[in-house]
Amino acid sequence: MRVRSKPAPGLYLVATPIGNMGDITYRAVEVLSVADVVACEDTRVTGKLLNRLGLDRPMTPYHEHNAERARPELIERLKQGQIVALVSDAGTPLVSDPGYRLVKACVAEGLTVTALPGASAVITALQLSGLPNDRFLFAGFLPTKAAARRKALREVAKVPATLMFYESPNRLGESLADMAAVLGAREAAVARELTKLHEEVARGDLFALANRYADTPPKGEVVVVVAPPSDSLPPDDAELDQRLKAAVDGGASVKDAAALIAAETGFPRRDIYARALRLFRVDAPN
């Protein structure tokens, strides 16, 4: 049996399982077993992983709240010729975490950086979605406030690629409703508990998925995958106003015009009616 030599000093970006422990790689175990320090989001979470792997290595926290303070210490370790393993709580480091700043600092200092590929919720969800995967945009977490969330969605609405988002289970219904309002009836998938016992992928258009999760938040980590725009994009605010004016000019009442445009676009009737009332400065009937 060939004895492996100890990895060279440097920063190692180590992917860890997102659920199924069988997804840890031989290379990840090899590096974690000899790392001088394991930098992690939560030492309790990573401690459990190391225990399950039968490893006992020094750990240090590295997350968004202490990154500015912890980064120089890690850089100094690397300059001393140590092996630093960077992990996230689950999956591939640098995806929605501050690890990229550490990598940037290492590059600036001429220090070695190596990635150990492995599990990723984003890629796993894309594979299972059944949606086009030749081009995709991962947009991370959407804003928590509705107005900011819709603004963020409008910014990516015309991107000719499959869109991907992380989302909190408790906000899923609201986010899907906003996606439907901004992006229209695109096909989408909600993937949760990936690689775990209760893995589930719900597929349908955004309106159907918004209804499904409106009052029933799911459990577990969630990834939302949304199909690219079709040739006919959902109407923007100006087009909605134009359609409403055309319907009223054609003889429809404000209420009937709103119902017509809601049916044509798939947007919530209540939202279109409220927009029509504002547009024509009409008071809602008591």
Side-chain angles (χ1 to χ4, degrees), residues 15-26 28-29 49 52-53 118-119 195-196:
T16 57
I18 58 176
N20 192 315
M21 278 296 298
D23 292 334
I24 191 75
T25 68
Y26 289 119
V29 175
L49 172 67
R52 292 192 65 177
L53 295 174
T195 78
K196 300 177 184 177

Side-chain angles (χ1 to χ4, degrees), residues 8 12 68 138 163 169 176 190 208 237 251:
Y12 289 80
E68 295 301 319
F138 173 61
L163 302 177
L176 287 169
V190 174
D237 291 350

Side-chain angles (χ1 to χ4, degrees), residues 240 243-248 252-277 280:
L240 285 175
R243 289 194 187 189
L244 286 167
K245 289 177 180 177
V248 170
S253 67
V254 172
K255 183 177 181 180
D256 289 341
L260 174 65
I261 303 308
E264 288 179 350
T265 62
F267 286 4
R269 182 172 178 174
R270 178 181 59 187
D271 292 352
I272 299 298
Y273 185 44
R275 183 177 192 85
L277 293 176
F280 298 105

